[in-house]
Amino acid sequence: MATTDPTLLAPPTIEVEGGADVIGRSPGQLFWMRFRKDRAAFLGLGFIGFLILIAFIAPLISKLVGHGPNDLYSNMTDSIGLPKGPTGKFFFGADQNGRDVFVRTVYGTRTSLLVAVVATSIAVATGVTLGTVAGFFRGWVDTLISRIIDIMLSLPLLLFAIGIASACSLSPKGCFGGFVKPGRGLVIFIIALFSWTYIARVVRGQVLSIRERQFIDASRSLGAGNGRIMFREILPNLVAPIIIYSTLIIPANVLFESYLSYLGLGLPPDVPSWGGMISDATRYYQVAWWMMVFPGLFLLFTTLSFNLLGDGLRDALDPRGGR
Amino acid sequence: MLRYIVRRLMWVGLVVIIITMLTFLIFYVIPPTDPAISFAGKNQGPEVLALIRKRFGLDQPVYVQYGRFVKHLFLGDEYGWPGFGFSYASQSPIRGELFKRLGITLQLAVGGAIAWLIIGIPIGIVSALKRRSLTDRAAMGFALFGVSAPVFWLGLMALYIFWYRLHLLPGTGYIGFGVSPWQWFTHWIMPWLVLALLFAAFYARMVRGNMIEAMSEDYIRTARAKGLSERRVITRHAMRSSLTPVVTMFGLDFGGLIGGAIVTESVFNLRGLGSWVVDAVFSGDIPIVIAVTMFGAITITLLNLFVDVIYAFLDPRVRYS
Amino acid sequence: MIKREGVVAHRKMIRVAAILTILVLMTAACSSKKDEGTGKPKTGGIFRVQLKTFRWGGGGFDPSSTYSAYSWTLYSNLMIRSLLGYRHVAGDAGNQTIPDLATDNGTVSSDGLTWTFKIKPGVKFSPPINRAVKASDIVYSFERIATPSVAAGYSFYYLSTIVGMQDFYDKKATKISGITTTGDDTISFKLTQPTGDFNYRVSMPAAAPIPPEVGKCFEKQGEYGRYVVSTGPYMFDGMAKLDPTSCATLKATVPSGFDPSPTGHVKLIRNPNYDPATDTKESRENFIDGLTVEANSNVADIFAKILKNEVDGEIANETPDILQKATTTLKNQVHTNEGDRTWYFSMNLTTPPFDDIHVRRAVNFILDKAALLKLAGGSLSGVIAGHYFPPSILAGRLKDYDPFKTTNDAGDLEKAKAEMKQSKYDKNKDGLCDPGLKACGPIYSPTEQAPPFSDYIPTVKNGFAKIGLKMNIAQVADSYVPANKPANNIAFFMGGGWGKDYGDPYTFAFPLFYGPSILCENNSAYSLLGETRKQAKACKNQYPASGSVPNADKKIDDCSALAGEARLDCWAELDKYFTENVVTWIPYRFATNVDTVATTVTKYVFDQFSGYTAYAHVSLDTSKQVGA
């Protein structure tokens, strides 16, 4: 499962077009003008908004329907424990424990969004920091960080994730001296650990080219220290690629979390997760298609929306790519 | 050129060593299970456990175990070369089983790769050439779907619809080519297509993006101005620069698959490296995990090396970086 | 006249006879076409079995070390004969021993300490050994059990019971003083104390004769498994090709009939040296010509093949679509029998809050056992367990005994609270564990990631929360690893399941409830019943500050010395004592074994001893087999 190599996509540069007697528009305005026209991206944004909404009001929905996400309804399974399908009260049917699939799917939104967003944020923060440092200081710092990235990219991702997840679930104290506890924290840690490298590479490439520009020299000649240059001069120019790649990494991380849950790792059983629900469905899908179809559709539309949004942002920030 | 290759080979060696150390570390020092106990069986007392630990060398400190492992790897062990040792659970040598399973993973990877190249690249090219047409939109819609759908869900849906309900395709599992070529093929259709979908979508988008960019470059204008036919312009110039990045990506992706397309293999019950290694992690059969991880890592690194060498050959600037 | 009438009568008789014969022939022809399992079972055919993956474990397929019930089914039905054996039928009759290699049930001295058996004449080992079985071969088997490198699977049934065996194990003696032979056919065992179930121990595969000329070449754990020499009606394919002149020549080849790798196979063919006259039809009828077992990673495919008669039997968990039709369209193919296994949740008597008997009784009242049963597969997976020893090994005793019974087995909050109020962890007497106390939670409990255990988690969590116990149930890849070490102080363990080794409750009581059986590593006695303070120190686990953990060692010893009905009565009383007065477990299910066979199987019998198909009695209709 590889994501698109970021170094191959043209680094977006924001250039204000126009001659001397045309009113210049700020990059922000140009971006918004282009973005507004992209209906697909708006659709994506809309769906994401919808997801965020239902993630927030999940307890309310649960109350309205009258079923909790972990309530067991033994009348929704037959005498040999096979689940029953969608009814008036159970919109998406029940799972093998007699739990309401609809309510769990709604709660699953929380898990997926939370894990993906938090993990991505950590990954981005780490990646940006290390990438900037590597690109800015070059020399042995750069070599060290680049080599670490190369090694991490050669590692069989999922395998190590599985190993770490099982090892850390073994005792309640977790591993690495209690720093990583089993549960959501563990999953976030693993996802972040394996996805910071992409952004680090991109940022490094950007920083390498930006640092050669004249305004950096100008700043330095005014007496700015390294820190200031990195934060005040370079970082703002990275905002566009960072946003773009973040929105592209989020769906990959949503999928990654679902793969981990599918394989049965990391999340405790009472935390509903789409991947986990589909994993349960593997045993029953022949007689209980609803267990697989509904969480899967939500997963699909979530990643679809983030991808649409990401595409839209990329196109709006970089007119050359064209659509 | 030679110096470049040598430098890269040294780097490969270093990477492999580091990966073996990391794998060893994770799976021995933080073991998910205790192999001696699962191997010993119920109610075996401390003497038997001690015997088993001695037999597997588990009573030695980690660096001694690591040394033994590296030595066996390069010099072979009692079962042949390379020496991967034997599995705790089955007490049979890993080497034979590894090659058997590699065969299946290779079939999956090669078949899937052919499928995704055949599907993805033409779609990307056609979409780029017919920008904004209905074809383009439909194709990119399909690509978006492919990039967003989780592999295991696609696999399960495919199984449910095409196998369970419509009875068009056979279910999960693998039938040897020697046993029945037709069944061999029909069993592979779904795994290949499901695997290919994700990559085909990526490649379609990437090729399309690259083509569009390439087509707006100055040298294309020059080529047209020179009087070259549109066909020539596309095939000789635009495609060339769009497809070179594809080569790099392909190397990485294919290599990654050799490590084991874990999820595809588990959904479709294929006895490849991926499902083998997942079972081994869950049952504490560490020698298998180490053997396959190493094998996968070496393959990826060598493939990367191969791709880089080709790149360096094509683009001299790379050699001097 | 009479002659003429006689002739007429004669002709009439011939006509009647002819009509009758035609009728009989027609019915015979019709019934052989329909053939729904009626009529005589036919000889012939290879019985084809598929399973998901072979997991022989460390013991391999070595009868001395293997501790897996499927191995025992192959041994007992097909390959190996011990002094005493089994009928290989369902129910109580299938759990009782009958003479197999021995001429009768053996004679026991009046003090109960000496058991003597005489071996039948004419029993020979399979190729390549071909010679008669001698008493010294059985002596050798016991020496193997007492050889540390063999890592015998259940040596604890013998080492301290037979005089001199522990000394042999400790290498203090070169022979086991308690086993003596007279001539080639009589063998005598001297025991350290009266042991009423010694007949069972002698019936186990580890106690069956092994030829030393082969066995001595393979004295490391599991090695002998590829070379098992049969005394039974079947043997590995390829045994005849082995050369037993020396260990080296033996090891040069491997019988083709056995590949122990996870994707290997088993192929058994008839043993030419087996003489049915030395055996009984009650025990083995041997209709099939052979047996093959193969691996198929796709369980759904295994059952699909059974439905198409491409495979005759399976060792796998039935898929939902099979279960759905099990009682309707597939009811002639899906067989259910008692499994002689109890599934239970275990509580650690040394850790709070389960060191308080009222808490233990409270959780027994609160648990929704009906829900757990449903999750495991409903009536097809078993029945609610009201006590600890499965009913089939108590020969009908304690049938309706369930001191914690609740309406519909759904749990009873009031009764649970009433118990809780009496515990020291509910100081305000509200029926809930006091929220401030560490003992009330979160209580860490590692459990299997795999179903059905993963499915039980909500039921347990929700139920226990109702009486104030907060559970922190973590899914791990192998929960037995942390649970096996007392030092981890796991208070509550959901993975418990124990099946009989042979048809006597000693196989439960000794490993699970006997103090000296507690191990610091690889321990199965999760509740630590009978642990002494000294043991707790050695194993580095928690121990109550004052007083001690309940102890049932003497009760177990007393029952173990008895025999016959008195013994079973004693075990039944002990079971009641455990269930009501000690309360180490929450038993929730007595397992039902489900076995699915194809319509090719015209006669199906269940082997109660091993819990699988009685291959010794099944018969096939080869004309129905597809792809055989």
mmCIF file of all heavy atoms in Angstrom, chain C residues 56 59-81 88 154 205-206 225 228 231-233 236 268 284 609:
data_model
loop_
_atom_site.group_PDB
_atom_site.id
_atom_site.type_symbol
_atom_site.label_atom_id
_atom_site.label_comp_id
_atom_site.label_asym_id
_atom_site.label_seq_id
_atom_site.Cartn_x
_atom_site.Cartn_y
_atom_site.Cartn_z
ATOM 1 N N TRP C 56 0.617 -29.709 15.146
ATOM 2 C CA TRP C 56 0.930 -30.816 16.042
ATOM 3 C C TRP C 56 1.563 -30.335 17.334
ATOM 4 O O TRP C 56 1.616 -31.046 18.311
ATOM 5 C CB TRP C 56 1.862 -31.816 15.347
ATOM 6 C CG TRP C 56 1.315 -32.384 14.083
ATOM 7 C CD1 TRP C 56 1.775 -32.177 12.829
ATOM 8 C CD2 TRP C 56 0.190 -33.261 13.948
ATOM 9 N NE1 TRP C 56 1.022 -32.872 11.915
ATOM 10 C CE2 TRP C 56 0.042 -33.538 12.572
ATOM 11 C CE3 TRP C 56 -0.713 -33.841 14.846
ATOM 12 C CZ2 TRP C 56 -0.968 -34.371 12.070
ATOM 13 C CZ3 TRP C 56 -1.707 -34.669 14.352
ATOM 14 C CH2 TRP C 56 -1.826 -34.925 12.971
ATOM 15 N N GLY C 59 4.905 -31.516 20.736
ATOM 16 C CA GLY C 59 4.925 -32.959 20.888
ATOM 17 C C GLY C 59 4.920 -33.690 19.571
ATOM 18 O O GLY C 59 5.045 -34.910 19.531
ATOM 19 N N GLY C 60 4.782 -32.957 18.482
ATOM 20 C CA GLY C 60 4.761 -33.603 17.176
ATOM 21 C C GLY C 60 3.667 -34.631 17.134
ATOM 22 O O GLY C 60 2.585 -34.410 17.650
ATOM 23 N N PHE C 61 3.918 -35.782 16.579
ATOM 24 C CA PHE C 61 2.934 -36.835 16.553
ATOM 25 C C PHE C 61 3.468 -38.015 17.365
ATOM 26 O O PHE C 61 3.079 -39.156 17.169
ATOM 27 C CB PHE C 61 2.638 -37.230 15.089
ATOM 28 C CG PHE C 61 1.420 -38.072 14.900
ATOM 29 C CD1 PHE C 61 0.168 -37.601 15.236
ATOM 30 C CD2 PHE C 61 1.534 -39.344 14.378
ATOM 31 C CE1 PHE C 61 -0.964 -38.390 15.045
ATOM 32 C CE2 PHE C 61 0.409 -40.143 14.178
ATOM 33 C CZ PHE C 61 -0.844 -39.666 14.512
ATOM 34 N N ASP C 62 4.335 -37.732 18.292
ATOM 35 C CA ASP C 62 4.931 -38.789 19.111
ATOM 36 C C ASP C 62 3.940 -39.165 20.203
ATOM 37 O O ASP C 62 3.578 -38.322 21.021
ATOM 38 C CB ASP C 62 6.236 -38.240 19.720
ATOM 39 C CG ASP C 62 6.917 -39.232 20.640
ATOM 40 O OD1 ASP C 62 6.352 -40.316 20.892
ATOM 41 O OD2 ASP C 62 8.021 -38.909 21.104
ATOM 42 N N PRO C 63 3.488 -40.412 20.262
ATOM 43 C CA PRO C 63 2.486 -40.789 21.256
ATOM 44 C C PRO C 63 2.944 -40.502 22.685
ATOM 45 O O PRO C 63 2.115 -40.261 23.553
ATOM 46 C CB PRO C 63 2.296 -42.290 21.055
ATOM 47 C CG PRO C 63 2.908 -42.624 19.762
ATOM 48 C CD PRO C 63 3.853 -41.546 19.388
ATOM 49 N N SER C 64 4.255 -40.503 22.907
ATOM 50 C CA SER C 64 4.729 -40.233 24.259
ATOM 51 C C SER C 64 4.524 -38.792 24.646
ATOM 52 O O SER C 64 4.265 -38.478 25.796
ATOM 53 C CB SER C 64 6.221 -40.576 24.390
ATOM 54 O OG SER C 64 6.488 -41.849 23.904
ATOM 55 N N SER C 65 4.679 -37.903 23.680
ATOM 56 C CA SER C 65 4.620 -36.491 24.071
ATOM 57 C C SER C 65 3.402 -35.747 23.581
ATOM 58 O O SER C 65 3.096 -34.685 24.093
ATOM 59 C CB SER C 65 5.881 -35.751 23.610
ATOM 60 O OG SER C 65 6.235 -36.143 22.321
ATOM 61 N N THR C 66 2.667 -36.304 22.634
ATOM 62 C CA THR C 66 1.613 -35.496 22.070
ATOM 63 C C THR C 66 0.421 -35.378 23.007
ATOM 64 O O THR C 66 0.046 -36.327 23.681
ATOM 65 C CB THR C 66 1.184 -36.048 20.701
ATOM 66 O OG1 THR C 66 0.479 -35.039 20.022
ATOM 67 C CG2 THR C 66 0.275 -37.235 20.830
ATOM 68 N N TYR C 67 -0.142 -34.171 23.066
ATOM 69 C CA TYR C 67 -1.231 -33.910 23.995
ATOM 70 C C TYR C 67 -2.404 -33.329 23.226
ATOM 71 O O TYR C 67 -3.030 -32.387 23.656
ATOM 72 C CB TYR C 67 -0.757 -32.886 25.043
ATOM 73 C CG TYR C 67 -1.458 -32.995 26.387
ATOM 74 C CD1 TYR C 67 -0.880 -32.419 27.510
ATOM 75 C CD2 TYR C 67 -2.677 -33.628 26.548
ATOM 76 C CE1 TYR C 67 -1.487 -32.498 28.746
ATOM 77 C CE2 TYR C 67 -3.300 -33.701 27.774
ATOM 78 C CZ TYR C 67 -2.700 -33.133 28.877
ATOM 79 O OH TYR C 67 -3.301 -33.189 30.107
ATOM 80 N N SER C 68 -2.686 -33.852 22.041
ATOM 81 C CA SER C 68 -3.766 -33.287 21.255
ATOM 82 C C SER C 68 -4.801 -34.353 20.977
ATOM 83 O O SER C 68 -4.474 -35.480 20.600
ATOM 84 C CB SER C 68 -3.208 -32.720 19.946
ATOM 85 O OG SER C 68 -3.673 -33.447 18.843
ATOM 86 N N ALA C 69 -6.071 -34.005 21.150
ATOM 87 C CA ALA C 69 -7.132 -34.999 21.042
ATOM 88 C C ALA C 69 -7.229 -35.559 19.634
ATOM 89 O O ALA C 69 -7.595 -36.722 19.455
ATOM 90 C CB ALA C 69 -8.465 -34.390 21.472
ATOM 91 N N TYR C 70 -6.926 -34.766 18.611
ATOM 92 C CA TYR C 70 -7.035 -35.323 17.258
ATOM 93 C C TYR C 70 -6.000 -36.410 17.037
ATOM 94 O O TYR C 70 -6.271 -37.428 16.419
ATOM 95 C CB TYR C 70 -6.933 -34.251 16.170
ATOM 96 C CG TYR C 70 -7.304 -34.829 14.834
ATOM 97 C CD1 TYR C 70 -8.597 -35.296 14.614
ATOM 98 C CD2 TYR C 70 -6.370 -34.990 13.820
ATOM 99 C CE1 TYR C 70 -8.947 -35.890 13.427
ATOM 100 C CE2 TYR C 70 -6.720 -35.572 12.624
ATOM 101 C CZ TYR C 70 -8.013 -36.018 12.425
ATOM 102 O OH TYR C 70 -8.356 -36.607 11.239
ATOM 103 N N SER C 71 -4.794 -36.196 17.605
ATOM 104 C CA SER C 71 -3.783 -37.252 17.509
ATOM 105 C C SER C 71 -4.308 -38.514 18.173
ATOM 106 O O SER C 71 -4.152 -39.620 17.640
ATOM 107 C CB SER C 71 -2.496 -36.836 18.208
ATOM 108 O OG SER C 71 -2.021 -35.627 17.706
ATOM 109 N N TRP C 72 -4.958 -38.355 19.342
ATOM 110 C CA TRP C 72 -5.433 -39.533 20.048
ATOM 111 C C TRP C 72 -6.514 -40.266 19.262
ATOM 112 O O TRP C 72 -6.641 -41.476 19.361
ATOM 113 C CB TRP C 72 -5.972 -39.132 21.423
ATOM 114 C CG TRP C 72 -4.902 -38.607 22.336
ATOM 115 C CD1 TRP C 72 -3.558 -38.635 22.146
ATOM 116 C CD2 TRP C 72 -5.107 -37.956 23.581
ATOM 117 N NE1 TRP C 72 -2.918 -38.048 23.206
ATOM 118 C CE2 TRP C 72 -3.836 -37.621 24.086
ATOM 119 C CE3 TRP C 72 -6.257 -37.636 24.316
ATOM 120 C CZ2 TRP C 72 -3.678 -36.976 25.314
ATOM 121 C CZ3 TRP C 72 -6.089 -36.992 25.535
ATOM 122 C CH2 TRP C 72 -4.804 -36.670 26.021
ATOM 123 N N THR C 73 -7.290 -39.540 18.487
ATOM 124 C CA THR C 73 -8.308 -40.210 17.687
ATOM 125 C C THR C 73 -7.641 -41.080 16.647
ATOM 126 O O THR C 73 -8.052 -42.229 16.425
ATOM 127 C CB THR C 73 -9.234 -39.178 17.019
ATOM 128 O OG1 THR C 73 -10.551 -39.407 17.386
ATOM 129 C CG2 THR C 73 -9.170 -39.181 15.549
ATOM 130 N N LEU C 74 -6.596 -40.578 16.031
ATOM 131 C CA LEU C 74 -5.897 -41.380 15.026
ATOM 132 C C LEU C 74 -5.226 -42.585 15.688
ATOM 133 O O LEU C 74 -5.268 -43.696 15.161
ATOM 134 C CB LEU C 74 -4.871 -40.525 14.285
ATOM 135 C CG LEU C 74 -5.452 -39.390 13.445
ATOM 136 C CD1 LEU C 74 -4.330 -38.546 12.853
ATOM 137 C CD2 LEU C 74 -6.332 -39.930 12.336
ATOM 138 N N TYR C 75 -4.615 -42.342 16.838
ATOM 139 C CA TYR C 75 -3.965 -43.472 17.508
ATOM 140 C C TYR C 75 -4.979 -44.535 17.909
ATOM 141 O O TYR C 75 -4.871 -45.699 17.552
ATOM 142 C CB TYR C 75 -3.270 -43.027 18.800
ATOM 143 C CG TYR C 75 -2.124 -42.078 18.650
ATOM 144 C CD1 TYR C 75 -1.898 -41.108 19.616
ATOM 145 C CD2 TYR C 75 -1.248 -42.147 17.582
ATOM 146 C CE1 TYR C 75 -0.839 -40.236 19.522
ATOM 147 C CE2 TYR C 75 -0.189 -41.267 17.478
ATOM 148 C CZ TYR C 75 0.001 -40.318 18.455
ATOM 149 O OH TYR C 75 1.047 -39.434 18.355
ATOM 150 N N SER C 76 -5.956 -44.106 18.713
ATOM 151 C CA SER C 76 -6.820 -45.078 19.368
ATOM 152 C C SER C 76 -7.706 -45.828 18.384
ATOM 153 O O SER C 76 -7.961 -47.019 18.548
ATOM 154 C CB SER C 76 -7.679 -44.367 20.411
ATOM 155 O OG SER C 76 -8.533 -45.282 21.025
ATOM 156 N N ASN C 77 -8.202 -45.120 17.360
ATOM 157 C CA ASN C 77 -9.079 -45.783 16.397
ATOM 158 C C ASN C 77 -8.297 -46.613 15.394
ATOM 159 O O ASN C 77 -8.768 -47.650 14.939
ATOM 160 C CB ASN C 77 -9.865 -44.731 15.598
ATOM 161 C CG ASN C 77 -11.076 -44.231 16.347
ATOM 162 O OD1 ASN C 77 -12.133 -44.825 16.300
ATOM 163 N ND2 ASN C 77 -10.914 -43.125 17.047
ATOM 164 N N LEU C 78 -7.128 -46.115 15.011
ATOM 165 C CA LEU C 78 -6.482 -46.654 13.816
ATOM 166 C C LEU C 78 -5.090 -47.249 14.019
ATOM 167 O O LEU C 78 -4.742 -48.233 13.396
ATOM 168 C CB LEU C 78 -6.386 -45.569 12.742
ATOM 169 C CG LEU C 78 -7.714 -44.912 12.351
ATOM 170 C CD1 LEU C 78 -7.470 -43.705 11.482
ATOM 171 C CD2 LEU C 78 -8.592 -45.915 11.629
ATOM 172 N N MET C 79 -4.260 -46.617 14.834
ATOM 173 C CA MET C 79 -2.850 -46.980 14.756
ATOM 174 C C MET C 79 -2.281 -47.704 15.976
ATOM 175 O O MET C 79 -1.323 -48.446 15.849
ATOM 176 C CB MET C 79 -2.007 -45.722 14.535
ATOM 177 C CG MET C 79 -2.237 -45.087 13.183
ATOM 178 S SD MET C 79 -1.393 -43.510 13.057
ATOM 179 C CE MET C 79 0.270 -44.027 12.729
ATOM 180 N N ILE C 80 -2.815 -47.421 17.147
ATOM 181 C CA ILE C 80 -2.112 -47.870 18.342
ATOM 182 C C ILE C 80 -3.045 -48.610 19.285
ATOM 183 O O ILE C 80 -4.178 -48.192 19.503
ATOM 184 C CB ILE C 80 -1.516 -46.649 19.074
ATOM 185 C CG1 ILE C 80 -0.329 -46.112 18.278
ATOM 186 C CG2 ILE C 80 -1.062 -46.998 20.466
ATOM 187 C CD1 ILE C 80 0.323 -44.940 18.939
ATOM 188 N N ARG C 81 -2.570 -49.716 19.836
ATOM 189 C CA ARG C 81 -3.360 -50.450 20.812
ATOM 190 C C ARG C 81 -2.605 -50.474 22.131
ATOM 191 O O ARG C 81 -1.413 -50.780 22.167
ATOM 192 C CB ARG C 81 -3.608 -51.878 20.318
ATOM 193 C CG ARG C 81 -4.375 -51.914 19.000
ATOM 194 C CD ARG C 81 -4.469 -53.300 18.451
ATOM 195 N NE ARG C 81 -5.237 -54.173 19.340
ATOM 196 C CZ ARG C 81 -5.428 -55.470 19.104
ATOM 197 N NH1 ARG C 81 -4.889 -56.028 18.041
ATOM 198 N NH2 ARG C 81 -6.137 -56.199 19.931
ATOM 199 N N HIS C 88 -14.952 -46.855 21.206
ATOM 200 C CA HIS C 88 -15.083 -45.845 20.150
ATOM 201 C C HIS C 88 -16.541 -45.628 19.771
ATOM 202 O O HIS C 88 -16.924 -45.675 18.603
ATOM 203 C CB HIS C 88 -14.268 -46.208 18.896
ATOM 204 C CG HIS C 88 -12.852 -46.529 19.215
ATOM 205 N ND1 HIS C 88 -12.295 -47.761 18.977
ATOM 206 C CD2 HIS C 88 -11.871 -45.791 19.779
ATOM 207 C CE1 HIS C 88 -11.036 -47.756 19.390
ATOM 208 N NE2 HIS C 88 -10.754 -46.580 19.885
ATOM 209 N N TYR C 154 2.035 -35.982 29.350
ATOM 210 C CA TYR C 154 1.247 -36.078 30.585
ATOM 211 C C TYR C 154 1.930 -37.040 31.546
ATOM 212 O O TYR C 154 1.318 -37.959 32.085
ATOM 213 C CB TYR C 154 -0.198 -36.499 30.300
ATOM 214 C CG TYR C 154 -0.357 -37.479 29.164
ATOM 215 C CD1 TYR C 154 -0.403 -38.852 29.393
ATOM 216 C CD2 TYR C 154 -0.464 -37.024 27.844
ATOM 217 C CE1 TYR C 154 -0.550 -39.748 28.350
ATOM 218 C CE2 TYR C 154 -0.605 -37.919 26.800
ATOM 219 C CZ TYR C 154 -0.651 -39.275 27.052
ATOM 220 O OH TYR C 154 -0.790 -40.147 26.010
ATOM 221 N N PRO C 205 -2.395 -43.308 24.906
ATOM 222 C CA PRO C 205 -1.432 -43.625 23.845
ATOM 223 C C PRO C 205 0.012 -43.692 24.344
ATOM 224 O O PRO C 205 0.793 -44.491 23.839
ATOM 225 C CB PRO C 205 -1.611 -42.481 22.843
ATOM 226 C CG PRO C 205 -2.994 -41.991 23.062
ATOM 227 C CD PRO C 205 -3.285 -42.188 24.512
ATOM 228 N N ALA C 206 0.365 -42.874 25.340
ATOM 229 C CA ALA C 206 1.753 -42.894 25.801
ATOM 230 C C ALA C 206 2.119 -44.223 26.433
ATOM 231 O O ALA C 206 3.292 -44.586 26.500
ATOM 232 C CB ALA C 206 1.996 -41.766 26.801
ATOM 233 N N GLY C 225 7.455 -39.036 16.085
ATOM 234 C CA GLY C 225 6.168 -38.849 15.431
ATOM 235 C C GLY C 225 6.132 -39.267 13.967
ATOM 236 O O GLY C 225 5.122 -39.743 13.470
ATOM 237 N N VAL C 228 6.038 -43.557 13.727
ATOM 238 C CA VAL C 228 5.230 -44.348 14.648
ATOM 239 C C VAL C 228 4.980 -45.743 14.089
ATOM 240 O O VAL C 228 4.451 -45.903 12.983
ATOM 241 C CB VAL C 228 3.880 -43.644 14.923
ATOM 242 C CG1 VAL C 228 2.972 -44.531 15.738
ATOM 243 C CG2 VAL C 228 4.111 -42.330 15.622
ATOM 244 N N THR C 231 0.444 -50.805 16.019
ATOM 245 C CA THR C 231 -0.037 -52.104 16.462
ATOM 246 C C THR C 231 -1.501 -52.240 16.054
ATOM 247 O O THR C 231 -2.098 -53.296 16.180
ATOM 248 C CB THR C 231 0.051 -52.246 17.993
ATOM 249 O OG1 THR C 231 -0.359 -51.003 18.578
ATOM 250 C CG2 THR C 231 1.471 -52.535 18.421
ATOM 251 N N GLY C 232 -2.052 -51.183 15.566
ATOM 252 C CA GLY C 232 -3.457 -51.158 15.211
ATOM 253 C C GLY C 232 -3.703 -51.573 13.783
ATOM 254 O O GLY C 232 -2.774 -51.956 13.069
ATOM 255 N N PRO C 233 -4.937 -51.448 13.307
ATOM 256 C CA PRO C 233 -5.281 -51.947 11.980
ATOM 257 C C PRO C 233 -4.726 -51.101 10.827
ATOM 258 O O PRO C 233 -4.787 -51.527 9.677
ATOM 259 C CB PRO C 233 -6.820 -51.903 11.960
ATOM 260 C CG PRO C 233 -7.241 -51.129 13.136
ATOM 261 C CD PRO C 233 -6.111 -51.041 14.094
ATOM 262 N N PHE C 236 1.145 -45.770 8.760
ATOM 263 C CA PHE C 236 1.562 -44.763 7.779
ATOM 264 C C PHE C 236 1.866 -45.444 6.455
ATOM 265 O O PHE C 236 2.471 -46.511 6.406
ATOM 266 C CB PHE C 236 2.860 -44.072 8.215
ATOM 267 C CG PHE C 236 2.707 -43.059 9.298
ATOM 268 C CD1 PHE C 236 3.688 -42.920 10.265
ATOM 269 C CD2 PHE C 236 1.614 -42.206 9.357
ATOM 270 C CE1 PHE C 236 3.574 -41.970 11.264
ATOM 271 C CE2 PHE C 236 1.484 -41.261 10.356
ATOM 272 C CZ PHE C 236 2.475 -41.149 11.317
ATOM 273 N N LEU C 268 -2.910 -42.914 5.853
ATOM 274 C CA LEU C 268 -2.857 -44.195 6.543
ATOM 275 C C LEU C 268 -3.420 -45.284 5.644
ATOM 276 O O LEU C 268 -4.447 -45.081 4.978
ATOM 277 C CB LEU C 268 -3.678 -44.135 7.840
ATOM 278 C CG LEU C 268 -3.228 -43.113 8.875
ATOM 279 C CD1 LEU C 268 -4.171 -43.089 10.057
ATOM 280 C CD2 LEU C 268 -1.818 -43.409 9.359
ATOM 281 N N ARG C 284 -13.305 -52.216 17.177
ATOM 282 C CA ARG C 284 -12.909 -51.734 15.844
ATOM 283 C C ARG C 284 -13.518 -52.616 14.769
ATOM 284 O O ARG C 284 -13.367 -53.826 14.801
ATOM 285 C CB ARG C 284 -11.378 -51.775 15.681
ATOM 286 C CG ARG C 284 -10.606 -50.912 16.659
ATOM 287 C CD ARG C 284 -9.111 -50.934 16.336
ATOM 288 N NE ARG C 284 -8.377 -50.119 17.291
ATOM 289 C CZ ARG C 284 -7.913 -50.565 18.454
ATOM 290 N NH1 ARG C 284 -8.090 -51.836 18.793
ATOM 291 N NH2 ARG C 284 -7.264 -49.768 19.276
ATOM 292 N N PHE C 609 -14.275 -41.055 23.544
ATOM 293 C CA PHE C 609 -12.968 -40.934 24.187
ATOM 294 C C PHE C 609 -12.187 -39.748 23.624
ATOM 295 O O PHE C 609 -11.700 -38.896 24.354
ATOM 296 C CB PHE C 609 -12.168 -42.216 24.019
ATOM 297 C CG PHE C 609 -10.692 -42.056 24.289
ATOM 298 C CD1 PHE C 609 -10.241 -41.700 25.552
ATOM 299 C CD2 PHE C 609 -9.754 -42.230 23.291
ATOM 300 C CE1 PHE C 609 -8.888 -41.523 25.817
ATOM 301 C CE2 PHE C 609 -8.396 -42.056 23.546
ATOM 302 C CZ PHE C 609 -7.968 -41.706 24.809
#
